[in-house]
Amino acid sequence: MATETEVGVLLHQRGWRTAFTVAERVNAWATLVSFIERGYGDDIYEYTNDLYCRNWLHEAWLLLDEHIVQLWTPQIKSLDDRYKAATVDDDGQALDQFLRLMTGSTPTWEVQAERWVSPG
């Protein structure tokens, strides 16, 4: 397991555009969830791009020290719950053409379509 700084650097080395912190990505996730709750105004390309803040958190969680995970998990779970309430689970159909979905254990934020996105 690694510190927040180490994880940010490692994920940057793996291709993320910068060495983010957990706080930065949680704040980005909170902002996106708020936008979705109010009615997301951007197009599908921006929406799928915006979801990457949550992907970063997912990747970081596998690497972070347990105490950091425990510290941030309640806030992230709350945001995830709000996201689920503001979106529709369509098993990834609406976003499938825009996101390359992982097979098997696809994270919730990649199968939930913002309410204005209609499948097909």
Side-chain angles (χ1 to χ4, degrees):
M1 296 309 206
T3 67
E4 186 175 338
T5 301
E6 292 167 340
V7 168
V9 169
L10 178 62
L11 291 177
H12 178 54
Q13 291 169 345
R14 290 182 181 178
W16 289 91
R17 66 180 165 88
T18 192
F20 294 111
T21 66
V22 173
E24 289 171 328
R25 298 295 77 197
V26 169
N27 288 338
W29 183 227
T31 299
L32 178 58
V33 170
S34 292
F35 285 157
I36 291 168
E37 289 172 329
R38 291 191 310 263
Y40 191 81
D42 262 328
D43 62 30
I44 189 68
Y45 301 103
E46 285 299 317
Y47 180 67
T48 56
N49 184 62
D50 289 346
L51 289 175
Y52 278 99
C53 62
R54 187 60 180 86
N55 289 353
W56 187 95
L57 289 166
H58 179 74
E59 288 187 34
W61 249 230
L62 303 173
L63 305 169
L64 283 165
D65 289 333
E66 184 62 29
H67 74 277
I68 298 169
V69 170
Q70 289 178 3
L71 177 70
W72 286 100
T73 293
Q75 185 175 355
I76 293 170
K77 182 179 179 335
S78 173
L79 290 167
D80 287 352
D81 290 345
R82 287 173 48 199
Y83 176 75
K84 288 176 194 175
T87 56
V88 176
D89 183 352
D90 72 346
D91 200 30
Q93 292 179 35
L95 298 180
D96 193 30
Q97 61 187 313
F98 302 100
L99 289 174
R100 201 172 78 233
L101 296 176
M102 299 181 308
T103 56
S105 61
T106 304
T108 299
W109 58 95
E110 290 189 2
V111 298
Q112 297 281 122
E114 208 279 323
R115 292 194 187 280
W116 57 259
V117 178
S118 59

